[in-house]
Amino acid sequence: MKGLRLRSFAKVNLGLEVLGLRDDGYHELRTIFQTIDLHDDVVLRRQPRGVTVRCDHPLVPNDPTNLAVRAAEALRRHARIREGVAIEIVKRIPVAGGLGGGSSNAATVLLGLDRLWRLGLGRDGLHRLARTLGADVPFFLLGGTALGLARGDEVYPLWRQVQGHVVLALPGIPLSTAAVFRRQDAALTPRENSSRIFYFVSRDLEGEGAWRFLANDLEEAALVEAPALARQVQRIRAVLVREGARLAALSGSGSTYFGLFSEAHRARRAQSALAAAGFEVCRARTLSLDRYRRAQS
Ligand code: C5P
């Protein structure tokens, strides 16, 4: 095998609770991750020496700071591999949008190189490396609908996978995850043992009542961090709710704001209305655990 071409999918957070600051400087989270079929392409080509990356997006670094390169280097060291790899990334997932693009690329590189180098580590064997790269990376080894605990890096697949149509509005305001978490610290009142996410998990997900338990605790902090975003979010949210979204929320630390719809025609209407209001917008389907696995094999 000379190389591999893989799809690297985006995620949204269907809900996100911040429980408090941990001793390691990260935050204790409870979140529901959901992969969607919006994706980058990642091409891996064997080369005799060194790890290199090329990406067509101006905000993605073509150097060793790229998380995809760090993933390849970490796996190379771990498995004592001498040969190198050339990584090419075709970007479609908005950068710094709360959709996990960089983390997804890193997990895809780990899964791809495990195959290309015939290491046989599998998802379980890659998990420890994945969590050293970033809190969202382990989720992308798994995909589908999953509960994320601890830093978000302890992930459990949910028995019932969410299905729906996702409309993403991209306000074009890149937000730093670290900065949004810092804002959140200023407002954070330590919680005893909040369980909204657990309520959601324990309900039948198809029952409409379950969705009201979900919210993103980072939303307020993101809107304080980027006041221009606050004005846009108000308008985006109003359209999504009017068109019948089951859930309308910020993804991760933003700035992407999305709506989840049961029916395709409602999603299409929301997409058209947002586009007519001048927003950059795209539509995707949720990607279940099974479909995620099949798409990568
Ligand atoms: O792990 P990752 O590099 O993706 O996280 C980016 C930043 O988000 C971290 O440097 C940290 O400031 C913040 N973060 C956090 N708690 C988490 C996840 C991320 O504080 N559970």
Side-chain angles (χ1 to χ4, degrees):
M1 212 175 356
K2 278 200 181 131
L4 272 176
R5 173 179 278 269
L6 299 156
R7 280 181 282 176
S8 173
F9 294 97
K11 60 87 180 160
V12 290
N13 297 80
L14 299 179
L16 193 156
E17 292 177 353
V18 183
L19 273 75
L21 191 58
R22 298 158 48 108
D23 291 343
D24 62 6
Y26 273 74
H27 292 77
E28 188 72 17
L29 303 184
R30 285 177 189 161
T31 185
I32 308 281
F33 289 114
Q34 174 67 57
T35 38
I36 58 175
D37 62 7
L38 169 67
H39 65 89
D40 295 341
D41 292 329
V42 173
V43 183
L44 304 174
R45 289 190 190 88
R46 307 183 96 126
Q47 62 184 16
R49 285 269 175 275
V51 177
T52 54
V53 67
R54 207 179 62 200
C55 179
D56 53 355
H57 194 290
L59 292 179
V60 177
N62 283 324
D63 62 38
T65 63
N66 188 308
L67 201 56
V69 175
R70 286 171 45 207
E73 293 285 16
L75 186 57
R76 214 161 147 243
R77 269 197 308 278
H78 175 79
R80 298 198 167 85
I81 298 288
R82 296 175 71 111
E83 71 173 72
V85 63
I87 305 168
E88 188 191 333
I89 301 169
V90 180
K91 258 289 148 211
R92 290 192 204 89
I93 306 173
V95 177
L99 299 173
S103 303
S104 174
N105 294 167
T108 301
V109 165
L110 292 180
L111 290 166
L113 291 179
D114 189 36
R115 278 166 63 190
L116 202 61
W117 292 338
R118 297 181 192 282
L119 303 177
L121 291 167
R123 290 176 161 74
D124 292 345
L126 293 170
H127 184 267
R128 272 183 49 180
L129 270 185
R131 69 193 307 180
T132 64
L133 295 166
D136 288 351
V137 181
F139 164 67
F140 285 104
L141 296 177
L142 182 72
T145 314
L147 173 67
L149 302 180
R151 303 186 317 165
D153 52 358
E154 212 181 283
V155 280
Y156 301 92
L158 293 190
W159 180 72
R160 194 181 288 275
Q161 297 283 299
V162 169
Q163 279 185 25
H165 303 265
V166 178
V167 176
L168 304 148
L170 316 166
I173 300 171
L175 271 174
S176 147
T177 303
V180 172
F181 271 104
R182 276 197 300 274
R183 288 270 178 198
Q184 168 74 9
D185 286 341
L188 196 67
T189 40
R191 295 221 204 139
E192 281 299 302
N193 198 12
S194 159
S195 49
R196 281 181 293 136
I197 292 249
F198 289 154
Y199 274 132
F200 175 80
V201 170
S202 63
R203 301 267 167 135
D204 178 350
L205 298 188
E206 300 306 310
E208 288 306 306
W211 296 97
R212 70 191 154 89
F213 293 113
L214 294 183
N216 184 342
D217 283 353
L218 292 177
E219 191 160 323
E220 228 179 284
L223 301 188
V224 175
E225 179 69 17
L229 180 63
R231 288 186 289 279
Q232 298 198 26
V233 158
Q234 229 178 12
R235 294 169 56 210
I236 295 166
R237 198 182 156 78
V239 172
L240 294 171
V241 170
R242 187 187 73 212
E243 300 300 341
R246 286 196 279 196
L247 176 73
L250 190 77
S251 184
S253 59
S255 59
T256 304
Y257 209 87
F258 72 95
L260 176 72
F261 295 83
S262 325
E263 293 157 79
H265 75 273
R266 287 183 190 271
R268 279 196 296 272
R269 273 181 40 183
Q271 182 183 18
S272 307
L274 287 168
F279 290 103
E280 193 187 332
V281 53
C282 64
R283 189 157 48 88
R285 297 273 303 269
T286 55
L287 197 65
S288 68
L289 188 65
D290 282 353
R291 283 183 58 215
Y292 189 78
R293 289 217 168 148
R294 277 204 300 276
Q296 286 182 329
S297 56

